[in-house]
Amino acid sequence: MKYAQVLADVPFLHTDHPYDYEIPMRFRTELHEGMRVKVNFGGRKIIGFVIGLSDSTTHKSAGEILEIIDTFAVLTKEVQTFCSELARRYLTARSQVFGFAVPKAMARINQKLLSELPEPLRQFEADALEPLALSTSYLVPPSRSVLEWSVDKVAQLIESNRKGIILLPNVSLVEQFEIQLRNKVPEAKIGRMMSDQTPSVRYEQFMRILRGEVHVTIGTRSAVFAPVDDFDYILMMFENDDSFAEQQSGQWHARDAALLRADLAKKPLVTVGYSRSVELQKLVEDGKVQHVVIEGVRGAKTMIIPRDDNPNTHKLRLPSVAFNIIRQGLQRGPVLLQVPLRGYQLNIQCARCRERASCSECGGGLENTPKVGIRCTRCGRSFGQFLCQWCSHSEIRSISVGSVRTAEEIGRAFPNTQVITSGRESIVAEIDAQPSLVIATPGAEPVVHSGRYSAMIILDPEITLNRIDLRAHEEAFRRWYDTKSLVDPEGVQLVCLRDVHQVVQFMIQDNPAGFAHQQLQERIAASLPPAQETYLIEGDLSNIQTALHNASEIPGVSILGPAEHKHGFYALVYCEPSQGSSLNLHLRAILAKRSSTKAKGVLRIHYSPQVLP
């Protein structure tokens, strides 16, 4: 081949198409589609991806390829197709998505791999499983372990010579899964793709997966790009965990990316969890994903305990009934208290007039910390003593209390019991089964070694339920229901709430599918995602108005806004799925025009945003 079609690695939509470059004679036997090369582009030497080869070109003066970066073709045709469609949906340049899929080349690793042949995979002789024909959502009761069930399932698939990609929300779960899988199938070859790997380890793992040297690839959300051309399935655990949402370019969710890749490859996506997202529930109700409930006994009993006016318990935010539950639980093992916020006294107010305590310099809110005392959360200024700017009173009261202050309060109430705190700054991974009180924020709950908690208490649930967020109730249910798996089925889960709430009602019923259905119906009634395709447009008001021009003329399109919020202005654009392609093309053309003309100001467009203003 004489010419290569090269996609330049630049983040602009108006250059998101291949350019023809002549292949010098010295490279014609070495260059293959899927390699990276160095070329002149716009007066600069940059990296590009070779996405095609040909014997002719329509350009009269094509530039030359300057250097071949890769020793092997690193971008497979299947991954290229997947990344291209993902980039189209999320209004980003293909090269940006290719950058997520392909790690930086390492010459030392390439030399090492050139000197050794790919290690052949062992072929197992186990009984063949039935074909994995349909995408399936498995709901596991909290009395059982999602991790253990998934390990057993993947072990069966490996022993039936099925290759797969396994996605987990965090590094800790990846490590636990790998250990259990190696114990189950010692002969299995396992590849890992995670963000915490060093560049050399990540590239070597990538290349071994690419060369077909592993039975299964496991990792966090980046593993959805694993170069496994002939995979048989994608398995995703806890798909509704917010860790699966990409925060960088594109801002896609790994669940949506995994479903797209599985659909393009005509392979099944298997999800396993205690609960499920509203997006997945819609796929179930649309008949695109089948619903299966794993058998098992019910989890710990969920109870609502209203706060009381007992002066001995009021300051602890704990009902008197909860104290009895804690005492009884400590006789059988550790007790977990989940608090929504970390820190000490995060928001304070005047104890007399209830005026919010604010900084006299910048107006920021004040917090009370054990080391520094009262300080401003905005400018950091410390105050020796609080003095209300409204009534000159000097005493404070807490609006919201964090895990550190809660641990102090609980420690005073149970002076002879060990108190363990676990939060973002200091996460405790595991504790023994001895009696103790564990104060943890959501997602930082330690696992009990060879056991479970005897009881769990959810403090200040109103803070989580009352968040101004489309997913507030969905996230509350996931955080609380999933942690039932840490509690002994004979134990109890207490929610300190004044009144019955629909979220807790579904927890009491052990009905995660019913909760997801109810949330979906509310979204459909309000025309909110995932009922319709949604775009969030943020930026300067004039730029948003330009982007919305003519968009309303597309059939089935609805527009909310523009409106102002703390980061500027925003608008929401909805459309029926049947009109999604037309709206996508319209918005993509606007972004491409802005990049080509170097338009001033800010304009960001997000497809299927995880968070709405």
Side-chain angles (χ1 to χ4, degrees), residues 65 147-148 158 334 361 424 536:
I65 288 175
L147 209 63
E148 291 178 4
I158 290 175
E361 293 293 325
R424 189 173 67 179
L536 169 63

Side-chain angles (χ1 to χ4, degrees), residues 121 154 158 162-166 177 181 188-192 209 214-218 228 233:
L121 278 179
V154 172
I158 290 175
R162 310 279 181 83
K163 284 187 177 182
I165 300 170
I166 315 298
F177 183 88
L181 185 59
K189 299 294 183 182
I190 302 173
R192 291 175 60 162
I209 296 166
V214 302
H215 292 99
V216 65
T217 300
I218 63 176
V228 187
Y233 65 93

Side-chain angles (χ1 to χ4, degrees), residues 377-488:
T377 58
R378 181 180 296 167
C379 68
R381 180 188 174 193
S382 297
F383 294 82
Q385 185 179 7
F386 170 75
L387 189 66
C388 179
Q389 298 180 44
W390 181 256
C391 70
S392 300
H393 194 62
S394 60
E395 292 185 13
I396 61 172
R397 71 186 297 271
S398 301
I399 301 174
S400 56
V401 176
S403 57
V404 176
R405 178 59 182 262
T406 302
E408 282 187 6
E409 295 174 346
I410 294 296
R412 286 194 293 266
F414 297 90
N416 299 319
T417 304
Q418 181 187 15
V419 178
I420 301 169
T421 60
S422 180
R424 189 173 67 179
E425 289 84 1
S426 179
I427 294 180
V428 179
E430 187 178 82
I431 62 170
D432 58 36
Q434 299 302 313
S436 61
L437 286 165
V438 179
I439 318 297
T441 53
E445 302 90 350
V447 175
V448 180
H449 179 68
S450 301
R452 299 192 183 196
Y453 292 99
S454 57
M456 174 186 176
I457 299 172
I458 298 171
L459 289 174
D460 304 325
E462 297 93 345
I463 293 176
T464 304
L465 292 171
N466 294 337
R467 286 189 305 123
I468 303 175
D469 187 340
L470 175 67
R471 299 180 184 274
H473 291 177
E474 182 183 353
E475 184 66 9
F477 186 89
R478 179 187 71 82
R479 288 180 174 184
W480 299 341
Y481 190 75
D482 286 15
T483 49
K484 286 180 73 169
S485 64
L486 302 176
V487 185
D488 190 287

Side-chain angles (χ1 to χ4, degrees), residues 13-73:
L13 285 181
H14 72 283
T15 59
D16 188 34
H17 55 84
Y19 293 83
D20 286 353
Y21 283 86
E22 186 177 356
I23 307 172
M25 289 297 297
R26 65 184 185 280
F27 292 152
R28 290 186 182 177
T29 58
E30 301 175 29
L31 187 64
H32 302 283
E33 184 176 347
M35 286 183 169
R36 286 170 291 191
V37 294
K38 185 172 288 186
V39 295
N40 278 317
F41 186 86
R44 295 183 299 136
K45 293 179 181 179
I46 65 168
I47 305 276
F49 294 86
V50 177
I51 62 174
L53 298 169
S54 65
D55 283 320
S56 61
T57 179
T58 57
H59 298 281
K60 294 181 179 179
S61 56
E64 273 196 354
I65 288 175
L66 305 176
E67 181 184 346
I68 299 177
I69 303 298
D70 296 301
T71 308
F72 307 92

